Amino acid sequence: MQNKISGASGDSWGHWMAEEVAKALGFPPPPDGSNEIRLPDGLAVIKSAHKGTIQIGITKKMLPKLHRAYAAIETRAGGKFEIFELSRAFLDAKQRVPGGYSRETQMFFMVGDIRREGKKIESFVPGQLNRRYWVTTQWPHRFDTDADAPREG
């Protein structure tokens, strides 16, 4: 069950992962606080899932604008992520209406469908791409300033 704190942590992790995936694929980084990227042929979104996650969500507002999506799914062994390209046809064919409160705002895509039918294009380990980040158990932090650096003692 997700609460306000875990939801904010997951949102922050998703934005950090979007930057890592964009870098792994050679794309420009998404704007701050976003997981959308504008490519020469249209808009794409980058979604991520830890191992054991069974679905990813894309908002109903964003879905019609997308040319494609990228999904970074953690391998069953853990630590490494596989990146799948999801075509517009996949997004149209595989979307599912969630139950509960998400019904009004999101469409879900099953990780099993992504693994079976998405186009696997890359594998990588986040944080090993010369990015200046450190990760706590809650969310990623940047080393942009000395104040953001981890402290000892």
Side-chain angles (χ1 to χ4, degrees), residues 5 17 20-21 24 44 64 76-77 84 110 114 123 131 147:
I5 294 170
M17 280 294 292
E20 293 292 297
V21 170
R76 289 177 179 91
F84 296 87
M110 304 306 290
I114 293 168
S123 294
R131 201 38 80 81

Side-chain angles (χ1 to χ4, degrees), residues 115-127:
R115 286 185 194 273
R116 277 188 304 278
E117 299 178 42
K119 179 182 176 186
K120 184 178 167 187
I121 57 173
E122 185 68 72
S123 294
F124 80 111
V125 177

Side-chain angles (χ1 to χ4, degrees), residues 31 33 38-39 51 56 79 84 108 116 123 130 132 135-136 153:
R38 186 152 308 278
L39 300 172
K51 70 178 178 179
I56 61 168
F84 296 87
F108 283 177
R116 277 188 304 278
S123 294
N130 299 321
R132 297 191 69 209
V135 180
T136 70

Side-chain angles (χ1 to χ4, degrees), residues 118-152:
K119 179 182 176 186
K120 184 178 167 187
I121 57 173
E122 185 68 72
S123 294
F124 80 111
V125 177
Q128 294 186 354
L129 299 172
N130 299 321
R131 201 38 80 81
R132 297 191 69 209
Y133 282 98
W134 61 283
V135 180
T136 70
T137 56
Q138 292 291 323
W139 55 81
H141 293 275
R142 292 184 177 180
F143 280 140
D144 292 341
T145 68
D146 291 339
D148 294 329
R151 292 173 177 68
E152 294 182 13

Side-chain angles (χ1 to χ4, degrees), residues 49-53 73-79 81 115:
H50 284 292
K51 70 178 178 179
T53 301
I73 311 295
E74 189 173 17
T75 62
R76 289 177 179 91
F81 284 75
R115 286 185 194 273

